[in-house]
Amino acid sequence: MYAQEGSGRDISCGHSLKYNRCIYSREVRASHIILNINASKSKLSCLLQHIAREYLLLIPFSRIGQPAFHPANMLRGAFQVARAAHHTLRSPCVRAAGSMFVVPRRHMSSSVPDISLGLTQDQIEFQKVALQFANDRLLPNAAKWDQEEIFPRDVLKEAAELGFGGVYVKDDVGGSNLSRVDASVIFEAMSTADVSTTALLSIHNMCAALIDRFGTEEQRQHFLPQLVTAERLASYCLTEPGSGSDAASLQTRAVKQGDHYVLNGSKAFISGAGESEVYLIMARTGGPGPKGISCILVEKGTPGLSFGKKEHKLGWNSQPTRAVVMEDCKVPISNLIGKEGEGFSIAMKALDGGRINIAACSLGGAHQCLVTARDYIKVRKQFGQPLSQFQALQFQLADMATSLYGSRLMVRDAAQKLDENHPQATVLAAMAKLRATDQCWDICDAALQMHGGYGYLKEYPIERFLRDVRVHRILEGSDAVMRLIIARSLLKD
């Protein structure tokens, strides 16, 4: 049951809890939940109650009617934050500091350009939730995941509890049913802490949305409930060892035998391969060219499906990358997504959204590098004065901020056009990805240069962002492919 206006319900979460929807004036929106904790029964201190309450205040009430935003899930998240604060309070360094302590926070809205600029009130709320999750669960662990190549499966599930496992999947199967603009805001915010993990989550979202949009009702009901909760993860399988940018020349074949397809071939550079449970395979069921390609869903554990060695990469180290190999891999015909021959079209439509997502991840990484560089040159002194007093660095910082703001506008505009099914959505997505991924790489590189030798050390986060955003200019369509799409649109009669 969900909260109703003017009423409350008890929820059993190990504490005596009650929540109400509050009626606010026009000046204070009716978009928050207030958590009333029975202090006589609760084991939380007043401070932890406050932390839990503040966490819930970040959740927009407009999402409460969806399974991912069920009050039990939100309360679980609130107490996770409270428990984390409890551990912080108990740490020796905090106790030694005395009764007053400060938990470092990143106030992204105070930076220029403001990442909330131009957003609706609901989108600002989504952004706050994503930033808090990034601060609490991604930022403290991102460097360790990167250096030790740890895949944070449990953290992805926590993100899904906030509705981030199926951001633009319909709500009848548990999705959040948000827009592409909303998704770009969420992925950008999360990427300010960890580009690699957020990028994998964005690919998972792309796959879930593909099933939601093009799958049968039976496929939707069977696969999506576990995908939106991240109990199962999905991987997108288009690229092959011999077909990268020329995706329509892929060689993986699917031959119909009775009521099954038998697949043979391999896919290369697949994010999540070996860990994901669902693989969307683009395979040739007909003749040469794009019209001979179909999209077939293959589940982990299917006989004949195997994986190559884990690749060791420059960046994106919190997510595994492997080859996906099919040798007489037999799957039911019912696993066909759409119709035979529609696979390439489906793959390209999915990539329109995927390109916006990856561009948004670049924005997040570049934004954090810009803020970090700005703060660094304010305190770093050379020749008797802070670096921020040198006009050359001031101008460079101004150019970085201008490039970031322009890229963000292009990404959000392309996302809006995709939401509207605008006829130029594909070319605008290509423009946005080209511009954002190139400019954001330049911003990260400039931020590292401002740090000098310190920027090259792993103790500073700049080099991790630099490594993680570099691949964005290659995957989901390289820079050259983006230019090809744009040029073809310009030259079309």
Side-chain angles (χ1 to χ4, degrees):
M1 298 294 294
Y2 301 110
Q4 303 294 322
E5 277 192 30
S7 68
R9 290 182 187 277
D10 289 334
I11 303 175
S12 177
C13 283
H15 303 278
S16 177
L17 302 169
K18 185 175 287 185
Y19 65 96
N20 296 314
R21 180 174 181 178
C22 296
I23 307 301
Y24 289 89
S25 65
R26 287 183 61 186
E27 290 73 20
V28 185
R29 302 178 63 252
S31 62
H32 292 142
I33 293 175
I34 290 182
L35 172 66
N36 298 315
I37 301 179
N38 186 331
S40 63
K41 296 182 180 179
S42 172
K43 296 180 181 180
L44 293 175
S45 68
C46 291
L47 173 62
L48 300 189
Q49 292 178 33
H50 175 73
I51 292 172
R53 182 182 293 108
E54 289 299 310
Y55 179 88
L56 287 185
L57 286 174
L58 293 174
I59 307 293
F61 189 83
S62 60
R63 312 317 306 169
I64 297 303
Q66 299 178 9
F69 288 87
H70 189 283
N73 288 336
M74 293 188 296
L75 291 172
R76 189 182 306 117
F79 284 112
Q80 287 173 351
V81 174
R83 283 195 296 271
H86 179 59
H87 292 313
T88 302
L89 284 169
R90 295 178 61 189
S91 69
C93 61
V94 170
R95 290 201 303 270
S99 59
M100 295 297 292
F101 73 96
V102 177
V103 178
R105 305 294 293 174
R106 299 176 305 150
H107 299 288
M108 308 304 291
S109 61
S110 65
S111 58
V112 177
D114 181 357
I115 62 173
S116 299
L117 202 61
L119 299 182
T120 67
Q121 197 62 41
D122 277 345
Q123 288 166 347
I124 291 173
E125 299 297 339
F126 302 148
Q127 187 180 70
K128 287 180 180 178
V129 174
L131 279 172
Q132 175 152 350
F133 182 80
N135 279 325
D136 296 339
R137 300 299 292 126
L138 301 182
L139 187 62
N141 302 300
K144 179 181 176 67
W145 295 339
D146 172 63
Q147 292 180 29
E148 300 180 18
E149 298 189 5
I150 296 172
F151 179 53
R153 182 86 188 227
D154 290 343
V155 176
L156 291 174
K157 290 181 181 179
E158 292 177 29
E161 288 180 358
L162 296 175
F164 299 159
V167 177
Y168 39 89
V169 171
K170 297 182 185 68
D171 52 16
D172 65 313
V173 288
S176 296
N177 200 28
L178 301 182
S179 70
R180 300 289 180 148
V181 179
D182 299 336
S184 73
V185 170
I186 289 167
F187 293 138
E188 178 184 358
M190 292 179 66
S191 292
T192 61
D194 185 354
V195 170
S196 172
T197 304
T198 305
L200 179 67
L201 185 63
S202 80
I203 294 170
H204 169 78
N205 269 267
M206 178 177 71
C207 293
L210 187 156
I211 297 172
D212 188 40
R213 181 178 177 184
F214 299 105
T216 65
E217 188 60 28
E218 182 181 356
Q219 290 168 339
R220 293 181 67 254
Q221 297 296 331
H222 178 71
F223 290 104
L224 289 176
Q226 288 186 302
L227 289 178
V228 299
T229 60
E231 290 297 321
R232 306 179 85 193
L233 295 175
S235 290
Y236 180 86
C237 305
L238 176 62
T239 300
E240 295 185 359
S243 61
S245 294
D246 185 14
S249 67
L250 63 84
Q251 297 298 309
T252 297
R253 295 204 64 86
V255 178
K256 190 180 293 186
Q257 291 185 3
D259 57 355
H260 286 76
Y261 286 110
V262 179
L263 283 75
N264 283 280
S266 64
K267 299 293 180 178
F269 310 124
I270 304 304
S271 296
E275 295 288 345
S276 295
E277 288 76 21
V278 177
Y279 297 86
L280 295 170
I281 308 289
M282 306 305 157
R284 193 165 298 284
T285 54
K291 294 185 178 179
I293 297 171
S294 299
C295 179
I296 300 173
L297 194 154
V298 180
E299 297 184 72
K300 186 178 181 180
T302 302
L305 179 68
S306 61
F307 308 98
K309 68 176 180 65
K310 181 181 175 182
E311 305 289 358
H312 296 288
K313 310 184 296 290
L314 176 70
W316 274 28
N317 290 321
S318 68
Q319 51 169 290
T321 300
R322 296 182 175 93
V324 175
V325 182
M326 291 147 286
E327 299 173 299
D328 294 329
C329 183
K330 195 174 182 180
V331 299
I333 287 179
S334 60
N335 282 20
L336 176 69
I337 303 292
K339 299 177 181 178
E340 281 196 7
E342 292 181 347
F344 191 77
S345 174
I346 289 172
M348 294 302 105
K349 289 176 181 176
L351 281 177
D352 286 343
R355 287 164 181 160
I356 291 169
N357 292 344
I358 288 299
C361 291
S362 289
L363 293 174
H367 189 101
Q368 184 58 35
C369 286
L370 172 60
V371 172
T372 302
R374 179 203 63 184
D375 294 344
Y376 177 79
I377 67 172
K378 284 181 177 180
V379 298
R380 172 67 169 169
K381 290 185 177 181
Q382 288 290 282
F383 304 102
Q385 61 181 338
L387 294 181
S388 59
Q389 297 303 307
F390 291 94
Q391 193 176 66
L393 291 180
Q394 293 175 0
F395 284 6
Q396 188 174 18
L397 203 66
D399 288 342
M400 292 160 67
T402 302
S403 294
L404 179 61
Y405 183 57
S407 296
R408 182 179 292 127
L409 290 176
M410 288 188 71
V411 170
R412 290 180 182 174
D413 179 67
Q416 181 67 43
K417 295 301 185 291
L418 195 60
D419 284 330
E420 297 169 355
N421 292 316
H422 193 281
Q424 292 188 342
T426 294
V427 69
L428 291 174
M431 287 179 173
K433 180 183 182 294
L434 175 64
R435 177 73 175 183
T437 57
D438 281 7
Q439 293 293 311
C440 290
W441 157 261
D442 289 341
I443 291 167
C444 294
D445 186 48
L448 190 151
Q449 190 72 21
M450 286 183 177
H451 279 71
Y454 291 108
Y456 204 66
L457 301 179
K458 287 188 179 292
E459 284 81 3
Y460 287 75
I462 300 293
E463 59 84 30
R464 172 168 55 84
F465 284 110
L466 183 78
R467 288 185 287 106
D468 283 343
V469 303
R470 180 58 183 87
V471 74
H472 297 183
R473 297 173 62 191
I474 301 172
L475 53 77
E476 311 284 22
S478 67
D479 284 2
V481 171
M482 297 303 97
R483 290 186 170 95
L484 186 62
I485 293 171
I486 297 165
R488 284 177 176 173
S489 176
L490 288 169
L491 297 172
K492 191 187 320 183
D493 291 335

